[in-house]
């Protein structure tokens, strides 16, 4: 049996997970949360990760009931992501691998999400809609690569929501997107917002620029409420979500995907917050697949890269 330990820390979450032949043995994580109106800076996020990463590692081993000797491989997020947090995690993973005498594997963050989704949902060959703070892509496997068939041409939809939350100072706990979704349920007035779709690709910078400029004027004049803006943004994003669905972790998006799939005789596979939110187990699972196919990362090659596209990785573990 092959046991892989995975470190994830590409953004504001630090996680350590352990996978044994498709079984999640442990998956603890911590989230760096900033005050309302503030994003998370790379240096501060890295400082948070450094403060807790060894505690999370200890928790992962204890929850799994394993010792370092039981681990066969150490995997870590190579990228994409924020530079300073990625470096923090890579350094710890390199150190642990050397201290324990284990092989090391650098994993693409996006492929970690894909492989975790395939494991949890038992979807053998899915078309993937990957929506996160830093990425918006429609992906499918073909000829030893995960091919990108459509993507954002500027910012990701999650980043758009995060930055909107800062404008009207919505809480970051547990996440800006979740809190926007809850506030949207209390809104009733629709404010017209622009959006752009370009073939298989989408754009979110225009809607963000508009709402950043207009929000304070509309709120201070009483033209609408913060809940109305959240409602309007959700409605407008629903239009873009529909486009993403047709070109093929928000609950509304999952609902729309379910309707789209039913209309077309397809099946929807979705993961819950344990595995769709950044976590160490997804890096361990992708590392497990890579390690079993004969891949390892030599120490001199164990760098990080902030821009690491999904389709750059040769998928050696699938037919």
């Amino acid at each position: 049996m092959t046991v892989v330990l995975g470190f994830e820390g590409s953004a504001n979450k630090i996680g350590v997970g352990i996978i044994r032949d498709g079984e999640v043995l442990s998956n603890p994580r911590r989230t760096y949360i900033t005050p309302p109106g503030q994003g998370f800076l790379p240096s501060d996020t890295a400082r948070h990760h450094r403060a807790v990463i060894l505690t999370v590692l200890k928790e992962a081993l204890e929850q799994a009931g394993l010792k370092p000797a039981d681990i066969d491989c150490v995997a870590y997020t190579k990228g994409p992501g924020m530079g300073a947090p990625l470096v923090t995690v890579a350094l710890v993973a390199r150190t642990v691998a050397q201290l324990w005498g284990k092989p090391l594997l650098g994993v693409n963050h996006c492929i970690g999400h894909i492989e975790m989704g395939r494991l949890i949902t038992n979807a053998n060959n899915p078309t993937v809609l990957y929506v996160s703070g830093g990425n918006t892509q429609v992906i499918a496997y073909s000829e030893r690569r995960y091919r990108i068939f459509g993507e954002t041409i500027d910012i990701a939809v999650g980043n758009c929501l995060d930055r909107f939350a800062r404008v009207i100072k919505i809480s970051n706990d547990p996440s800006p997107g979740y809190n926007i979704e809850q506030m949207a349920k209390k809104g009733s007035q629709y404010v017209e917002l622009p959006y752009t779709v370009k073939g298989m690709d989408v754009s979110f910078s225009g809607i963000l620029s508009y709402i950043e400029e207009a929000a304070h004027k509309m709120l201070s004049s009483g033209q609408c409420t913060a809940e109305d803006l959240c409602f309007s943004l959700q409605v407008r994003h629903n239009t873009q979500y529909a486009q993403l669905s047709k070109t093929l972790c928000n609950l509304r998006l999952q609902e729309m995907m379910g309707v789209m799939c039913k209309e077309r005789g397809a099946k929807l596979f979705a993961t819950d917050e344990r595995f769709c939110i950044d976590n160490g187990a997804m890096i361990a699972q992708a590392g497990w697949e890579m390690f079993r196919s004969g891949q390892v990362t030599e120490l001199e090659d164990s760098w990080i890269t902030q821009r690491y596209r999904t389709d750059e990785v040769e998928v050696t573990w699938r037919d």
Side-chain angles (χ1 to χ4, degrees):
M1 302 182 80
T2 303
V3 180
V4 177
L5 181 144
F7 288 95
E8 157 58 22
S10 59
N12 69 325
K13 293 171 181 63
I14 180 74
V16 181
I18 300 177
I19 293 281
R20 180 175 60 200
D21 290 353
E23 179 185 4
V24 180
L25 299 183
S26 62
N27 198 24
R29 68 181 164 210
R30 299 285 191 281
T31 302
Y32 174 52
I33 296 175
T34 56
Q38 297 181 25
F40 45 91
L41 298 174
S43 58
D44 294 337
T45 307
R47 188 176 300 113
H48 167 267
H49 291 0
R50 289 195 298 271
V52 301
I53 190 168
L54 294 183
T55 300
V56 180
L57 172 59
K58 183 179 179 182
E59 284 181 14
L61 289 169
E62 289 178 347
Q63 290 175 18
L66 299 178
K67 304 181 295 296
D70 301 318
I71 304 297
D72 295 305
C73 178
V74 176
Y76 73 96
T77 301
K78 179 179 178 179
M82 301 170 69
L86 282 172
V87 168
T88 295
V89 173
L91 285 173
V92 173
R94 287 166 56 133
T95 302
V96 166
Q98 290 179 86
L99 287 173
W100 296 355
K102 307 296 180 182
L104 186 66
L105 261 175
V107 173
N108 180 286
H109 175 87
C110 308
I111 287 180
H113 278 295
I114 294 171
E115 293 304 335
M116 197 66 200
R118 289 210 309 136
L119 172 67
I120 297 301
T121 64
N122 291 315
N124 182 46
N125 188 28
T127 297
V128 179
L129 177 56
Y130 176 32
V131 177
S132 72
N135 300 275
T136 301
Q137 298 175 338
V138 177
I139 304 165
Y141 174 76
S142 177
E143 298 180 348
R144 296 172 74 88
R145 300 273 173 172
Y146 281 114
R147 311 287 177 174
I148 298 171
F149 291 90
E151 62 185 321
T152 177
I153 60 175
D154 40 51
I155 62 172
V157 62
N159 183 243
C160 179
L161 294 173
D162 290 348
R163 289 171 62 180
F164 166 72
R166 293 179 218 168
V167 171
I168 60 174
K169 293 182 168 52
I170 293 174
S171 172
N172 293 319
D173 187 11
S175 71
Y178 174 81
N179 292 326
I180 289 172
E181 193 171 17
Q182 304 317 304
M183 289 180 67
K185 295 175 183 177
K186 302 175 183 177
S188 57
Q189 179 185 343
Y190 175 66
V191 178
E192 184 67 35
L193 300 172
Y195 82 103
T196 304
V197 175
K198 299 186 177 183
M200 293 285 283
D201 295 326
V202 290
S203 170
F204 299 102
S205 60
I207 190 172
L208 176 64
S209 297
Y210 179 87
I211 207 165
E212 282 181 330
E213 182 177 341
H216 291 305
K217 294 178 184 177
M218 290 188 288
L219 292 174
S220 60
S221 67
Q223 181 180 343
C224 65
T225 66
E227 287 78 9
D228 290 332
L229 283 178
C230 290
F231 169 73
S232 303
L233 187 63
Q234 180 103 334
V235 168
R236 180 50 75 200
H237 275 321
N238 283 349
T239 306
Q240 294 174 314
Y241 287 160
Q243 181 64 27
L244 286 169
S245 300
K246 290 173 184 175
T247 61
L248 273 124
C249 196
N250 175 298
L251 290 179
R252 177 58 183 147
L253 174 57
Q254 290 188 13
E255 290 172 8
M256 295 179 70
M257 291 289 291
V259 172
M260 183 275 293
C261 288
K262 185 176 180 180
E263 290 174 347
R264 291 161 177 79
K267 187 174 182 180
L268 174 67
F269 297 91
T271 58
D272 60 36
E273 64 178 14
R274 292 173 301 165
F275 303 115
C276 67
I277 296 174
D278 292 352
N279 62 91
M282 73 184 204
I283 302 303
Q285 175 59 20
W288 183 88
E289 295 278 14
M290 295 167 68
F291 184 63
R292 299 263 294 185
S293 71
Q295 289 196 43
V296 293
T297 301
E298 298 300 329
L299 189 63
E300 59 268 23
D301 296 326
S302 59
W303 54 69
I304 62 100
T305 176
Q306 290 183 258
R307 290 177 171 82
Y308 189 16
R309 284 182 61 84
T310 313
D311 51 9
E312 288 181 31
V313 179
E314 183 180 7
V315 181
T316 58
W317 55 94
R318 293 188 60 179
D319 295 333

